[in-house]
């Protein structure tokens, strides 16, 4: 196994607990492991959610392990009896997969102080939705003089060698493929027109990123000028002075909820519950809504404000009316095949 700084930290915390309490097994002693997403999500959770969790639990040990949802599922599926992760974060498609594979515990709704305050669509008893995400077009205003207004603008000849996309392992990549398919007569069940369109996009592609965090890095490095992107992912870049803006395409920005789950057979169920309660709390959600994170809240006690209210929606109800919500149950039926096809055929 490759030893990373995160691996070493987790091992040291576990060994320290086992030394202090000799009767503990390795699984019982290890810190809470939260599989967040890469990039801006890891930064936001490290800065806001982790301190709130530690305050609530008397500084309980926690490790963030950022990875895509599909990698979380693969990791837990390989070790169901002794999972290496305690809390998972999922977009709609992977959440359905995790449920189908029996990888998550029911959320203890009766004990939750925050669950009742979530908007109705966020009240999932298998794992509440702690956040919303919105996907549109991101671009560099210094180099893109005419702001994009449509997904179709990515094919404009002036963007030759300047466009970035992500592979289909990410919800961003798959969601983009579905919307492009719809533009050309397809649907969640038929993405052939989307693959044909992306094949025609190849001359404009500068990079196919492994995940949305890497896509943000490409903007920072000046390697791409325009891409599909998560609204909140660019906010930290903007705060650092990176020239990047977000626009909702005229076809409609994609919106989806992000759910958070207790992993089945986790030795840290109680700490997992407390982490999720912190994520659902109005205090944490209100802080994450502010600059530089601008993550859309799901707690009805949090009133949308600032850039989110200005650019996206004034409240959660408007968000749900205004944006495109895709059928992820239908998408999941063929997504694995699409990922394999994309990885085989979409090369630059």
């Amino acid at each position: 196994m490759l030893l990373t700084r995160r691996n070493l930290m987790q091992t040291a915390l576990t060994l320290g607990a086992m030394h202090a309490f000799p009767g503990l097994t390795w699984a019982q002693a290890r810190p809470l492991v939260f599989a967040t997403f890469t990039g801006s999500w890891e930064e936001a959770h490290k800065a806001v959610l982790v301190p709130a969790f530690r305050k609530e639990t008397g500084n309980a040990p926690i490790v963030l392990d950022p990875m895509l949802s599909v990698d979380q599922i693969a990791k837990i599926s390989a070790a169901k009896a002794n999972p290496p992760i305690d809390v998972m974060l999922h977009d709609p498609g992977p959440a359905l997969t995790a449920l189908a594979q029996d990888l998550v515990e029911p959320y203890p709704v009766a004990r939750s102080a925050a669950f009742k305050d979530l908007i109705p669509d966020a009240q999932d008893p298998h794992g509440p939705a702690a956040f919303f995400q919105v996907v549109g077009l991101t671009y560099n205003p210094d180099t893109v003089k005419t702001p994009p207004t449509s997904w179709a603008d990515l094919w404009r000849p002036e963007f030759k060698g300047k466009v970035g996309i992500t592979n289909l392992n990410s919800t961003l990549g798959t969601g983009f493929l579905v919307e492009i398919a719809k533009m050309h007569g397809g649907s969640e069940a038929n993405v052939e027109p989307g693959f044909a369109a992306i094949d025609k996009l190849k001359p404009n592609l500068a990079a196919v990123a492994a995940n949305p965090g890497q896509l943000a890095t490409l903007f920072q490095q000046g390697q791409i000028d325009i891409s599909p992107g998560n609204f909140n992912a660019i906010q930290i870049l903007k705060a650092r002075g990176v020239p990047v803006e977000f626009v909702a395409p005229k076809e409609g920005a994609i919106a989806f909820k992000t759910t958070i789950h207790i992993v089945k057979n986790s030795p840290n169920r109680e700490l997992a519950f407390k982490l999720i309660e912190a994520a659902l709390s109005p205090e944490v959600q209100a802080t994450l809504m502010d600059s530089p994170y601008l993550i859309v809240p799901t707690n009805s006690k949090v009133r949308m404000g600032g850039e989110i209210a200005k650019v996206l929606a004034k409240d959660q109800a408007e968000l749900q009316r205004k944006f495109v919500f895709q059928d992820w149950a239908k998408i999941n039926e063929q997504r694995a095949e699409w990922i394999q096809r994309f990885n085989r055929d979409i090369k630059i």
Side-chain angles (χ1 to χ4, degrees):
M1 180 181 71
L2 178 66
L3 282 180
T4 64
R5 183 174 180 272
R6 187 175 285 107
N7 296 144
L8 292 171
M9 182 189 307
Q10 182 172 333
T11 301
L13 287 167
T14 305
L15 289 172
M18 292 178 74
H19 179 74
F21 303 97
L24 291 180
T25 66
W26 180 271
Q28 291 169 330
R30 70 165 172 78
L32 181 77
V33 179
F34 173 32
T36 183
F37 296 151
T38 59
S40 60
W41 287 91
E42 180 186 10
E43 292 191 42
H45 288 152
K46 183 178 180 180
V48 179
L49 178 55
V50 169
F53 164 78
R54 286 180 171 151
K55 181 179 179 181
E56 188 66 28
T57 59
N59 209 31
I62 179 172
V63 172
L64 297 184
D65 196 2
M67 66 184 85
L68 291 170
S69 286
V70 292
D71 297 324
Q72 296 177 35
I73 289 170
K75 205 169 183 179
I76 294 169
S77 296
K80 285 186 177 180
N82 185 23
I85 296 168
D86 302 297
V87 178
M88 290 190 288
L89 196 66
H90 286 317
D91 297 332
L96 291 171
T97 300
L99 289 175
Q101 295 185 14
D102 195 27
L103 302 182
V104 302
E105 297 272 2
Y107 195 66
V109 173
R111 295 178 53 209
S112 174
F115 190 88
K116 67 182 185 303
D117 295 323
L118 301 180
I119 61 172
D121 279 356
Q123 293 185 11
D124 188 331
H126 300 290
F131 318 103
F132 266 118
Q133 294 190 60
V134 176
V135 172
L137 288 161
T138 53
Y139 68 98
N140 182 337
D142 289 349
T143 56
V144 178
K145 299 306 181 184
T146 302
T149 60
S150 167
W151 294 120
D153 288 336
L154 295 170
W155 281 258
R156 280 164 33 186
E158 62 263 38
F159 294 140
K160 184 177 181 179
K162 297 295 184 180
V163 174
I165 60 175
T166 62
N167 63 33
L168 302 196
N169 287 341
S170 70
T171 299
L172 171 61
T174 298
F176 171 66
L177 171 68
V178 169
E179 288 310 297
I180 296 308
K182 288 180 179 179
M183 282 179 61
H184 295 86
S187 66
E188 283 93 341
N190 173 24
V191 296
E192 286 300 321
F195 272 109
I198 290 178
D199 189 64
K200 293 177 182 177
L201 184 64
K202 285 181 180 179
N204 283 14
L205 289 180
V208 178
N211 55 61
Q214 188 181 93
L215 200 63
T217 299
L218 292 171
F219 269 109
Q220 192 169 17
Q221 295 172 344
Q223 294 187 43
I224 60 175
D225 287 342
I226 187 169
S227 77
N230 289 308
F231 172 77
N232 61 288
I234 69 166
Q235 304 308 322
I236 292 177
L237 294 183
K238 288 183 69 174
R240 291 173 180 162
V242 178
V244 62
E245 294 292 344
F246 174 93
V247 64
K250 65 183 181 182
E251 298 84 7
I254 307 164
F256 49 89
K257 59 188 180 183
T258 300
T259 51
I260 188 166
H261 306 264
I262 300 173
V263 174
K264 192 168 187 177
N265 297 324
S266 162
N268 287 318
R269 290 180 185 83
E270 186 59 26
L271 288 178
F273 171 69
K274 289 182 178 179
L275 177 72
I276 295 174
E277 283 293 286
L280 302 179
S281 70
E283 296 80 13
V284 165
Q285 292 208 0
T287 303
L288 289 174
M289 185 183 66
D290 290 338
S291 181
Y293 308 113
L294 274 68
I295 295 175
V296 181
T298 59
N299 191 309
S300 62
K301 288 187 173 180
V302 180
R303 185 174 181 178
M304 286 191 188
E307 196 72 6
I308 285 178
K310 177 182 175 183
V311 177
L312 297 182
K314 67 179 184 298
D315 55 34
Q316 289 95 340
E318 183 183 8
L319 181 84
Q320 292 176 283
R321 290 194 307 270
K322 188 175 178 182
F323 295 112
V324 175
F325 287 83
Q326 298 169 329
D327 184 349
W328 279 92
K330 181 60 67 177
I331 290 170
N332 271 8
E333 292 175 6
Q334 301 181 75
R335 189 182 182 195
E337 297 170 20
W338 300 345
I339 291 172
Q340 291 180 355
R341 178 178 173 183
F342 183 94
N343 292 342
R344 183 185 68 242
D345 297 345
I346 308 301
K347 302 182 187 300
I348 58 172

